[in-house]
Amino acid sequence: MIIVMTKDATQEQIQGIVKWIEERECRAHLSQGEERTIVGIIGNNRPLEQEPIERLDGVERVVPILAPYKLASRDMQPAPTHIRIGDITVGDRQIMVIAGPCAVESREQIIEIAHAVKEAGAVGLRGGAFKPRTSPYSFQGMGLAGLELLAEARQETGLPVVTEVMAVDQVSLVAQYADVLQIGARNMQNFNLLCAVGKINRPVLLKRGLMNTMEELLMSAEYVLSCGNPNVILCERGIRTFETYTRNTFDVNAIPALKARTHLPIMADPSHATGHWEYVEPTALAAAAAGADGLMIEVHSHPEKAVSDGTQSLKPERFAELMKRLRAVAEAVDRTL
Amino acid sequence: MIIVMTKDATQEQIQGIVKWIEERECRAHLSQGEERTIVGIIGNNRPLEQEPIERLDGVERVVPILAPYKLASRDMQPAPTHIRIGDITVGDRQIMVIAGPCAVESREQIIEIAHAVKEAGAVGLRGGAFKPRTSPYSFQGMGLAGLELLAEARQETGLPVVTEVMAVDQVSLVAQYADVLQIGARNMQNFNLLCAVGKINRPVLLKRGLMNTMEELLMSAEYVLSCGNPNVILCERGIRTFETYTRNTFDVNAIPALKARTHLPIMADPSHATGHWEYVEPTALAAAAAGADGLMIEVHSHPEKAVSDGTQSLKPERFAELMKRLRAVAEAVDRTL
Amino acid sequence: MIIVMTKDATQEQIQGIVKWIEERECRAHLSQGEERTIVGIIGNNRPLEQEPIERLDGVERVVPILAPYKLASRDMQPAPTHIRIGDITVGDRQIMVIAGPCAVESREQIIEIAHAVKEAGAVGLRGGAFKPRTSPYSFQGMGLAGLELLAEARQETGLPVVTEVMAVDQVSLVAQYADVLQIGARNMQNFNLLCAVGKINRPVLLKRGLMNTMEELLMSAEYVLSCGNPNVILCERGIRTFETYTRNTFDVNAIPALKARTHLPIMADPSHATGHWEYVEPTALAAAAAGADGLMIEVHSHPEKAVSDGTQSLKPERFAELMKRLRAVAEAVDRTL
Amino acid sequence: MIIVMTKDATQEQIQGIVKWIEERECRAHLSQGEERTIVGIIGNNRPLEQEPIERLDGVERVVPILAPYKLASRDMQPAPTHIRIGDITVGDRQIMVIAGPCAVESREQIIEIAHAVKEAGAVGLRGGAFKPRTSPYSFQGMGLAGLELLAEARQETGLPVVTEVMAVDQVSLVAQYADVLQIGARNMQNFNLLCAVGKINRPVLLKRGLMNTMEELLMSAEYVLSCGNPNVILCERGIRTFETYTRNTFDVNAIPALKARTHLPIMADPSHATGHWEYVEPTALAAAAAGADGLMIEVHSHPEKAVSDGTQSLKPERFAELMKRLRAVAEAVDRTL
């Protein structure tokens, strides 16, 4: 950490900062420039980052030098994390495709879709039983009955199941049914929930909040990791910007920019990232080309009747088409499906 | 709701939409323009807004006509909602000022600050016992002990207490101690939590998420209202933009724009909205001038030692100064403090 | 266009609107809903969109139905526009790769880079002679001397030249040297300049402003088209968001979303869209996979000495690597390089 | 400037950086931390900020310490700049109110409005003769005829005139008629234009771009100042965010945040910042309360017939009302009107 003193900071103020640093068992290192004096803090100074140093006399601003996340960082672990889900390994050469409806709606619906996506080559099944909805008047999910249907679909198809958990008191229940627990975008900074899933033995799919920085995403991963669960998959699902032609803006930059900083696998969700089924294929291919370790795609046999997200769901035949092209793009970048 | 057909929609497709509408017990109203046919839906069509009409054949897009919130709307209740907290009424002529530290840190700290803000004219005490923090390595709040200290500060000063509740399982506990339950910005769309505070008998201070539109804020208020609690105070606390000189961008427009749409009172939090103590006074005055029904301001006797938000906290003497000018501005816009 | 009346609009106000519409030689079409009356305008109502209808008595809001651009629209011209540049055709199967330095710095520099990018497979040369810079203290480009060097590089390599024009009084000069005139992001809404390049006979590469919606980009293209120049290439180069790990956020969604609306070709500039050379390859591949008609990539033989944008420039050998992978991705999506 | 070396930077790389710095006639100052080595550059290092230091071997990132603007900075000139316009002084105690229509439409219109705003207390007249419009099909302004009408309105009322200049070749013409040259938001980074107005002897009103940071605004002011014109007034007019209930988001924080950094006066434009006439009064009062040195407000006698911006224009009687309240708020913060 570096402390930049104000232009007219006095020697007394500078000495005050040095003393403050030394009281915290670090060393100060002064650098007297032509316009500003800079004080470097040497030693374990991460804990000091929480302190309001900018309120000390003569301080203009504070510049952190190290990233605030540790366990999630490549500094800590240079090699990529591999996570086993069913028969596959996320974070390795294979691009994991998880597909399924936004919400579980009925036994017939989920079983039919599960078979269809498996046949097209998906290796995981998604489907929401607990649904966070902007409006209290929207369908809120089937709850426990939905979880049971997901388990049934897994038994029929062998596909591992990814489903969202919205609250601390649902964690143990959802963990009984799901192979991967999803933390939704709106809960990315629900810190109690992050700790709760950090204490169980199930991979966690952590979606980026729609207006959260990559650094905040890494800090939320750090919550899960520091609570004891090393199996976290990050997921870019579009961020909120001023653009209105699409539901969100798919931040494809996040794939290489996160990979440069963390060893955790990165997935992409082109369905939420665009909000329109016509744009799902091009952006899914883009994600694969950019190095995503997996894709999460909404598929519905009758999107015109879907209780949620019908606008962005692919029909099974379109999804099968997409998988063909995805396979070609995966090969072009030395990956497999 | 209005359905815009594609340029080359066939008569058959238009009739298909009409039939679809009539099956849902509404009436269709066709308007044949030169370039597009438009189908209006007449009758109770709010439930239809959840359906993926854009996936029906020949549909280009759907335009909602009515606001998606009802109970929160001025259509429903033109007169402003008044909420009693202690001896005062929020939503009436008085601008309610709530002040206190970001977090309760110790008995001495909270009692000292409570006395100071009361003396300066504050009518409520804020202070966090449960703290949502971006980093798992930051101070997470004193929990129950913090709630007890808040209650003690109330007893000493008579100031009603506003404090945050972060999770469903904390609601009944926090409600035993707090006069107003705060839902923090990161929990604005924690729908389970919104329902939980909707079922108890305590006013709720609902902060706008840093990534949320005003409409989403009203929808979150709708969750609380529709679960049975009519006493919701909205709070603008800054949104996230591209600007980096300030922590957030205080959306002062939200004060009149929300008042035009809802009968609920609107507060402002200039401390979080700016992130710098030097900017708190000008923006607090701005909020009052723009018609805010209340202000929430962070005050700390020793901001340079605060465990959180020291950078944006005012010292008691600065807060007292601010209150003087605030009184003058309040009078200039026909309000009181 | 549709006019939504206020909840309590009177019959007199509704009749006032009808009269207002009829005075403008359109017809009004009333639709009486349960909560609102809606008035559709039938006839050529685009000119009315400029009028402040929301100020008429009893009007709540106005909803445009048609897109505000015409010449740029697929409604007007369903087939893609093909633009000849040198020997190639943009907008057809080939993905056009234009590469070169941010700025022309010297004869030696531009000639060396031109040869290198040609050898790697680029079909056009980029390089700025007039440079828009945030700071008045930064290098502002070589001007005319830079244009002459670009022409020399073209003569040596046969590569057509793309270079930026910043002001109306530079247009004829730049057009003497350049094969394609680039309008930079900061000038996307410099309407005088758009008209000026609309009046000459040279293809225009129109970069999306970092703060502009896709609709505004199409409206700016409409300026050029309506001034008489049909050869406009759109270029997505990253938009500004709250994210700080990258210079801009590459809006890859824009590729399919623009293609759905316009017949004009769409290029992508992954160098500006990311701001870091390490992220250029993954996002360039992403753009190709998403359907971009071309790519514009910054290449510099000695990026550590570049006078501008060194951080985001590829060395020639990295660019040659990128071209190999790009070729594979292009084939995977049925395109060529 | 500070250079942060990578975690595994070698001694050789560190020495390479030191040598690089010394070749540029600065001194290097090393600070060896536990996890990173930091190299401070001592001496006149602003010119080095343009160089791509991040491309040098072993460098992780570069942290600028000093602000990139100089002439605009309070470091350079602590006392506020006062600018004379007609009989008044901007930047002193008086809050300057400039009012008038978006565009000059006719002799009758501008004269009528000029009298009305003067009577209500405005001290300057605004009105556009050259209008930047998103659509090529919108009214583009009366041009020279509009300038002549503005001059006539000044003669009749004595009000100095503020009007926009859109292009370099309009500067000398507009300067013959206008008392203050306005640079519009879309031209904030039209650097040729900034230099052109920097070379004439007229105050410049520089509007913040709708997606430009405050730092970029200060850099654009720096262009004007460094070209020789010291009389620059900054104007906050709303920025673009994800919010859609208002046309822009009025960044009221910018008033104190800019004042902390620059000696230049700051105005606010609540008409563009909100886009709705109903919100103009509350936000105008907010701007004054926050310390704005002036306000620019759109007024039109018949907003329902205005050729542009009718939705956000006040009628003269509403403007007169606003002026009354503004006077009260100005007094509450020790200013005058």
Side-chain angles (χ1 to χ4, degrees):
Chain A
M1 193 166 27
I2 274 174
I3 299 172
V4 183
M5 304 300 293
T6 57
K7 195 190 171 195
D8 45 11
T10 61
Q11 276 307 315
E12 199 175 18
Q13 288 171 333
I14 295 170
Q15 288 314 315
I17 295 298
V18 171
K19 184 155 168 270
W20 185 91
I21 291 169
E22 291 173 350
E23 284 168 4
R24 277 148 187 85
E25 307 194 351
C26 290
R27 275 176 307 121
H29 186 264
L30 263 67
S31 171
Q32 185 85 37
E34 292 189 355
E35 300 188 44
R36 292 286 189 284
T37 294
I38 288 165
V39 188
I41 307 187
I42 295 173
N44 176 17
N45 59 56
R46 270 209 189 82
L48 306 194
E49 279 176 21
Q50 311 304 329
E51 304 216 24
I53 302 176
E54 290 178 8
R55 294 307 288 269
L56 298 174
D57 287 343
V59 174
E60 185 170 288
R61 66 193 173 96
V62 173
V63 181
I65 296 299
L66 301 173
Y69 46 87
K70 291 175 234 176
L71 304 175
S73 143
R74 280 211 186 261
D75 269 14
M76 194 75 167
Q77 181 193 315
T81 286
H82 290 179
I83 300 176
R84 289 294 295 180
I85 298 173
D87 295 336
I88 66 156
T89 302
V90 193
D92 204 349
R93 265 194 78 214
Q94 185 179 2
I95 299 177
M96 177 180 64
V97 179
I98 296 170
C102 174
V104 182
E105 298 172 14
S106 70
R107 187 181 178 288
E108 189 187 10
Q109 175 241 23
I110 190 68
I111 301 288
E112 181 183 349
I113 297 174
H115 279 295
V117 301
K118 183 177 186 185
E119 197 170 327
V123 297
L125 177 66
R126 61 151 291 153
F130 296 100
K131 298 297 307 169
R133 303 304 298 277
T134 302
S135 168
Y137 310 121
S138 298
F139 175 66
Q140 311 272 324
M142 292 181 72
L144 175 57
L147 294 175
E148 287 168 347
L149 293 175
L150 284 168
E152 197 177 334
R154 172 176 50 205
Q155 201 159 12
E156 286 232 7
T157 60
L159 292 177
V161 158
V162 181
T163 198
E164 178 161 353
V165 56
M166 282 176 67
V168 171
D169 60 12
Q170 295 165 357
V171 171
S172 61
L173 178 70
V174 176
Q176 286 170 41
Y177 291 90
D179 299 279
V180 178
L181 298 189
Q182 177 180 318
I183 302 292
R186 283 172 188 74
N187 276 320
M188 194 201 88
Q189 292 193 314
N190 183 333
F191 304 113
N192 301 60
L193 183 58
L194 294 174
C195 271
V197 299
K199 286 178 185 148
I200 60 156
N201 180 20
R202 276 279 177 288
V204 171
L205 179 69
L206 178 64
K207 298 189 99 174
R208 181 180 180 185
L210 71 172
M211 217 158 169
N212 286 110
T213 61
M214 297 182 220
E215 188 155 301
E216 289 170 339
L217 175 59
L218 291 171
M219 291 307 290
S220 287
E222 190 85 9
Y223 261 96
V224 182
L225 298 173
S226 68
C227 288
N229 188 341
N231 294 317
V232 177
I233 303 165
L234 306 177
C235 183
E236 161 60 33
R237 45 76 73 206
I239 57 173
R240 179 166 279 180
T241 67
F242 57 83
E243 178 55 54
T244 57
Y245 276 0
T246 49
R247 181 173 177 182
N248 292 295
T249 296
F250 177 35
D251 185 4
V252 72
N253 287 355
I255 297 170
L258 286 169
K259 281 199 168 292
R261 289 167 173 81
T262 187
H263 50 84
L264 299 171
I266 325 283
M267 292 188 69
D269 171 349
S271 306
H272 285 88
T274 60
H276 292 276
W277 68 269
E278 300 97 322
Y279 310 154
V280 170
E281 180 174 305
T283 51
L285 301 180
D293 295 307
L295 290 170
M296 202 168 187
I297 294 176
E298 289 190 348
V299 174
H300 199 289
S301 310
H302 303 283
E304 74 284 0
K305 295 184 185 164
V307 298
S308 59
D309 283 355
T311 306
Q312 70 197 32
S313 297
L314 295 182
K315 291 186 187 172
E317 49 277 21
R318 292 281 312 197
F319 175 66
E321 272 299 306
L322 160 58
M323 288 299 283
K324 268 186 224 161
R325 297 195 192 188
L326 194 57
R327 201 173 302 273
V329 170
E331 278 166 22
V333 293
D334 289 324
R335 305 286 292 258
T336 61
L337 266 209
Chain B
M1 193 166 25
I2 274 174
I3 298 172
V4 183
M5 304 300 293
T6 58
K7 195 190 171 196
D8 46 12
T10 62
Q11 276 308 313
E12 200 176 17
Q13 288 171 334
I14 295 170
Q15 288 313 314
I17 295 298
V18 171
K19 185 154 168 269
W20 185 92
I21 292 169
E22 291 172 351
E23 285 168 6
R24 277 148 188 84
E25 308 194 349
C26 290
R27 277 175 305 121
H29 186 264
L30 263 66
S31 170
Q32 186 85 39
E34 292 189 353
E35 301 187 45
R36 293 285 188 285
T37 295
I38 288 164
V39 187
I41 307 187
I42 296 173
N44 175 19
N45 59 55
R46 271 211 189 82
L48 305 194
E49 280 176 20
Q50 311 305 327
E51 304 216 24
I53 302 176
E54 290 179 7
R55 293 307 288 269
L56 297 174
D57 287 342
V59 174
E60 185 171 287
R61 66 193 175 96
V62 173
V63 181
I65 296 299
L66 301 173
Y69 47 86
K70 290 175 236 177
L71 304 175
S73 142
R74 280 212 184 260
D75 270 14
M76 194 75 166
Q77 180 193 314
T81 285
H82 289 179
I83 301 176
R84 288 295 294 180
I85 298 173
D87 296 335
I88 65 157
T89 302
V90 193
D92 205 349
R93 265 195 77 214
Q94 185 179 3
I95 299 176
M96 176 179 65
V97 179
I98 296 170
C102 174
V104 181
E105 299 171 15
S106 70
R107 188 182 179 286
E108 189 186 10
Q109 175 241 24
I110 190 69
I111 301 289
E112 180 182 349
I113 297 174
H115 279 295
V117 301
K118 183 177 186 187
E119 197 169 327
V123 297
L125 176 67
R126 61 152 291 153
F130 296 100
K131 298 298 306 169
R133 304 302 299 277
T134 302
S135 168
Y137 310 121
S138 298
F139 174 65
Q140 310 272 326
M142 291 181 73
L144 175 58
L147 295 175
E148 287 168 347
L149 292 176
L150 284 168
E152 198 177 332
R154 173 176 49 207
Q155 201 158 10
E156 286 232 7
T157 59
L159 293 177
V161 158
V162 181
T163 198
E164 178 161 355
V165 56
M166 281 177 67
V168 172
D169 60 11
Q170 295 166 357
V171 172
S172 62
L173 178 70
V174 176
Q176 286 169 40
Y177 292 89
D179 299 279
V180 178
L181 298 189
Q182 178 180 317
I183 302 292
R186 284 172 188 74
N187 276 320
M188 194 203 89
Q189 292 194 313
N190 183 333
F191 304 114
N192 302 59
L193 183 58
L194 294 175
C195 271
V197 299
K199 286 177 186 148
I200 60 158
N201 180 21
R202 276 278 178 287
V204 171
L205 179 70
L206 178 63
K207 297 189 99 173
R208 181 181 181 184
L210 72 172
M211 56 184 97
N212 289 110
T213 61
M214 295 183 221
E215 188 155 300
E216 289 171 339
L217 175 60
L218 292 171
M219 291 308 289
S220 287
E222 190 85 9
Y223 262 96
V224 182
L225 298 173
S226 68
C227 287
N229 188 341
N231 293 317
V232 178
I233 303 165
L234 306 176
C235 183
E236 160 61 33
R237 44 76 72 208
I239 57 174
R240 179 166 279 180
T241 67
F242 57 85
E243 178 56 53
T244 57
Y245 277 181
T246 50
R247 181 174 176 181
N248 292 294
T249 296
F250 177 36
D251 185 3
V252 72
N253 286 356
I255 297 170
L258 286 168
K259 282 202 168 289
R261 289 165 172 83
T262 186
H263 49 84
L264 298 171
I266 326 283
M267 291 188 70
D269 172 349
S271 306
H272 285 87
T274 59
H276 292 277
W277 68 269
E278 299 96 322
Y279 310 153
V280 170
E281 179 174 305
T283 51
L285 301 181
D293 295 308
L295 290 170
M296 202 167 187
I297 294 175
E298 290 190 348
V299 174
H300 199 290
S301 310
H302 303 283
E304 73 285 0
K305 295 184 186 164
V307 297
S308 59
D309 283 356
T311 305
Q312 69 196 31
S313 298
L314 295 182
K315 292 186 188 173
E317 49 278 21
R318 293 280 312 196
F319 175 66
E321 273 300 306
L322 159 58
M323 288 298 281
K324 269 186 222 159
R325 297 192 194 192
L326 194 56
R327 201 173 300 274
V329 170
E331 277 166 25
V333 292
D334 288 325
R335 305 286 291 257
T336 61
L337 267 210
Chain C
M1 193 165 25
I2 275 175
I3 299 172
V4 183
M5 305 299 293
T6 57
K7 195 189 171 194
D8 46 11
T10 62
Q11 276 307 312
E12 199 175 19
Q13 289 171 332
I14 294 170
Q15 288 314 313
I17 295 297
V18 170
K19 185 156 167 272
W20 185 93
I21 292 169
E22 291 173 351
E23 284 168 4
R24 277 148 188 84
E25 307 194 351
C26 290
R27 277 177 304 122
H29 186 265
L30 263 67
S31 170
Q32 186 85 40
E34 292 190 355
E35 300 186 46
R36 292 286 188 286
T37 294
I38 288 164
V39 187
I41 307 187
I42 295 174
N44 176 16
N45 59 57
R46 271 210 189 80
L48 306 194
E49 280 176 21
Q50 310 305 328
E51 304 216 24
I53 302 176
E54 290 179 7
R55 294 306 289 268
L56 298 173
D57 287 343
V59 174
E60 185 170 287
R61 67 194 174 97
V62 173
V63 181
I65 296 300
L66 301 172
Y69 47 87
K70 291 175 235 177
L71 304 175
S73 143
R74 279 210 186 261
D75 269 16
M76 194 75 165
Q77 179 194 314
T81 285
H82 290 178
I83 301 176
R84 289 294 295 180
I85 298 173
D87 296 335
I88 65 156
T89 302
V90 193
D92 204 348
R93 265 195 76 213
Q94 185 179 2
I95 299 177
M96 177 180 64
V97 179
I98 296 170
C102 175
V104 182
E105 299 171 15
S106 70
R107 189 182 177 286
E108 189 188 9
Q109 175 240 24
I110 189 70
I111 302 288
E112 179 183 348
I113 297 174
H115 280 294
V117 302
K118 185 179 184 182
E119 197 171 325
V123 297
L125 176 67
R126 61 152 291 153
F130 296 101
K131 300 296 307 169
R133 304 302 300 276
T134 302
S135 168
Y137 309 121
S138 298
F139 174 66
Q140 311 270 325
M142 290 181 74
L144 175 58
L147 294 175
E148 288 168 346
L149 293 175
L150 285 168
E152 197 177 333
R154 172 176 51 204
Q155 203 161 7
E156 286 231 9
T157 59
L159 293 177
V161 158
V162 181
T163 197
E164 178 161 355
V165 55
M166 280 176 68
V168 171
D169 59 11
Q170 297 165 356
V171 171
S172 61
L173 178 71
V174 177
Q176 286 169 41
Y177 292 89
D179 299 278
V180 179
L181 299 188
Q182 177 180 316
I183 301 292
R186 282 171 189 74
N187 275 319
M188 194 201 89
Q189 292 194 313
N190 183 333
F191 304 113
N192 302 59
L193 184 58
L194 295 174
C195 271
V197 298
K199 286 175 186 151
I200 60 157
N201 181 20
R202 275 280 177 288
V204 171
L205 179 70
L206 178 63
K207 298 188 99 174
R208 179 180 182 185
L210 73 171
M211 58 187 92
N212 288 110
T213 61
M214 296 183 221
E215 188 154 299
E216 288 171 340
L217 175 60
L218 292 171
M219 292 308 289
S220 287
E222 191 84 9
Y223 262 96
V224 183
L225 299 172
S226 68
C227 286
N229 188 340
N231 294 317
V232 178
I233 304 165
L234 306 177
C235 183
E236 161 60 33
R237 44 75 74 207
I239 57 174
R240 179 166 279 179
T241 68
F242 58 84
E243 178 55 54
T244 57
Y245 277 180
T246 49
R247 182 174 176 183
N248 292 294
T249 296
F250 177 35
D251 185 3
V252 72
N253 287 356
I255 298 170
L258 286 169
K259 282 199 168 291
R261 288 166 173 83
T262 186
H263 50 83
L264 298 171
I266 325 282
M267 291 187 69
D269 171 349
S271 306
H272 284 88
T274 60
H276 292 274
W277 68 269
E278 300 96 321
Y279 310 154
V280 170
E281 179 175 306
T283 51
L285 301 179
D293 295 308
L295 290 171
M296 202 168 187
I297 294 176
E298 290 190 346
V299 174
H300 199 289
S301 310
H302 303 284
E304 74 285 2
K305 295 182 185 167
V307 298
S308 59
D309 282 356
T311 305
Q312 69 197 31
S313 297
L314 294 183
K315 293 185 186 173
E317 49 278 20
R318 292 281 311 195
F319 176 66
E321 272 299 306
L322 159 58
M323 288 299 282
K324 268 186 225 161
R325 297 194 194 190
L326 193 57
R327 202 172 300 274
V329 170
E331 277 166 25
V333 294
D334 288 325
R335 305 286 291 257
T336 61
L337 265 210
Chain D
M1 193 165 26
I2 273 174
I3 299 172
V4 182
M5 303 301 292
T6 57
K7 195 188 171 196
D8 45 12
T10 61
Q11 275 308 313
E12 200 174 18
Q13 288 172 332
I14 295 169
Q15 286 315 312
I17 296 298
V18 170
K19 186 156 166 270
W20 186 93
I21 292 169
E22 290 172 351
E23 284 167 6
R24 278 148 187 83
E25 306 194 350
C26 289
R27 277 176 304 122
H29 186 264
L30 264 68
S31 170
Q32 186 85 41
E34 292 190 354
E35 302 186 45
R36 292 286 188 286
T37 294
I38 289 164
V39 188
I41 307 186
I42 295 174
N44 176 17
N45 60 55
R46 270 210 189 81
L48 306 194
E49 280 176 21
Q50 309 305 327
E51 304 215 25
I53 303 176
E54 290 179 6
R55 293 307 288 270
L56 298 174
D57 287 342
V59 174
E60 185 170 287
R61 67 192 175 97
V62 173
V63 181
I65 295 300
L66 301 172
Y69 46 88
K70 290 175 235 177
L71 304 175
S73 143
R74 279 212 185 260
D75 269 14
M76 194 74 164
Q77 180 193 315
T81 285
H82 290 179
I83 300 177
R84 288 294 295 179
I85 298 173
D87 296 336
I88 65 156
T89 302
V90 193
D92 204 350
R93 266 195 76 214
Q94 185 180 1
I95 299 177
M96 177 179 63
V97 179
I98 296 170
C102 175
V104 182
E105 298 171 14
S106 70
R107 188 182 179 287
E108 190 187 9
Q109 175 241 24
I110 189 69
I111 302 288
E112 180 183 349
I113 297 174
H115 280 295
V117 302
K118 183 177 185 184
E119 197 170 325
V123 297
L125 176 67
R126 62 152 291 152
F130 296 101
K131 298 295 308 168
R133 303 301 300 275
T134 302
S135 169
Y137 310 121
S138 297
F139 175 66
Q140 310 272 323
M142 292 180 73
L144 174 58
L147 294 175
E148 287 168 346
L149 292 176
L150 284 168
E152 199 178 331
R154 173 177 48 205
Q155 203 159 10
E156 285 233 8
T157 59
L159 292 178
V161 158
V162 181
T163 197
E164 178 161 355
V165 56
M166 280 176 68
V168 171
D169 60 10
Q170 295 167 358
V171 171
S172 62
L173 179 71
V174 176
Q176 286 169 41
Y177 292 89
D179 299 279
V180 179
L181 298 189
Q182 178 180 316
I183 302 291
R186 283 171 188 75
N187 276 319
M188 193 201 90
Q189 292 194 312
N190 184 332
F191 304 114
N192 302 59
L193 184 57
L194 295 175
C195 271
V197 299
K199 287 175 185 149
I200 60 158
N201 180 20
R202 275 278 178 288
V204 171
L205 179 69
L206 178 63
K207 297 188 100 174
R208 180 180 181 186
L210 73 173
M211 218 160 167
N212 286 111
T213 60
M214 296 182 220
E215 188 155 301
E216 289 171 337
L217 175 59
L218 291 171
M219 291 308 289
S220 287
E222 190 85 9
Y223 262 96
V224 183
L225 298 173
S226 68
C227 286
N229 188 341
N231 294 316
V232 178
I233 304 165
L234 307 176
C235 183
E236 161 61 31
R237 44 75 74 207
I239 57 173
R240 179 166 278 180
T241 67
F242 57 84
E243 178 55 54
T244 58
Y245 276 179
T246 49
R247 182 174 176 181
N248 292 294
T249 296
F250 178 35
D251 184 3
V252 72
N253 287 356
I255 298 169
L258 286 169
K259 282 200 167 292
R261 289 167 173 83
T262 187
H263 50 83
L264 299 171
I266 325 284
M267 291 188 68
D269 172 350
S271 306
H272 285 88
T274 60
H276 292 276
W277 69 269
E278 300 96 323
Y279 310 154
V280 170
E281 180 175 306
T283 51
L285 301 180
D293 295 308
L295 290 170
M296 203 167 185
I297 294 176
E298 290 191 345
V299 174
H300 199 289
S301 310
H302 303 283
E304 74 285 0
K305 295 183 184 164
V307 297
S308 59
D309 283 355
T311 305
Q312 69 196 31
S313 298
L314 294 183
K315 292 186 186 170
E317 48 277 21
R318 292 281 312 195
F319 175 67
E321 272 300 306
L322 159 58
M323 287 299 282
K324 268 186 225 160
R325 296 194 194 190
L326 194 57
R327 202 174 299 275
V329 169
E331 278 166 23
V333 293
D334 288 324
R335 306 286 290 256
T336 62
L337 267 210

